[in-house]
Amino acid sequence: GLNGYLYEQLTDDEFDGSAVGSDGRQARVYAYGPQLVYRQKRWGGSLKWQHEDGARNRAEGDKYWLQFFVGL
């Protein structure tokens, strides 16, 4: 499957009560990538890769996730 996220800062960065820079240094980035999921009745796991793109006032990079889950 596919996975991803969007990060958008809603408020300005401030220093001594004033916005930093002309745009408030608001950060933005989105990520997307493939996901593999294996699931049994009471447990499972997933492997994800997310590539960040379109960054503004924030670093870009790649993320790799390995998750395990257990039903209670």
Side-chain angles (χ1 to χ4, degrees), residues 17-51:
S18 299
V20 176
S22 61
D23 65 351
R25 303 289 295 168
Q26 291 185 358
R28 176 181 64 205
V29 69
Y30 61 90
Y32 53 88
Q35 169 179 297
L36 281 170
V37 177
Y38 180 77
R39 185 176 183 133
Q40 289 289 323
K41 199 170 208 175
R42 304 222 1 121
W43 65 276
S46 66
L47 179 63
K48 302 176 187 179
W49 168 60
Q50 295 172 336
H51 173 72

Side-chain angles (χ1 to χ4, degrees), residues 3 30 32-33 41 43 52 55 61 64 67 70-71:
N3 78 91
Y30 61 90
Y32 53 88
K41 199 170 208 175
W43 65 276
E52 292 181 324
Y64 302 93
Q67 294 178 307
V70 178

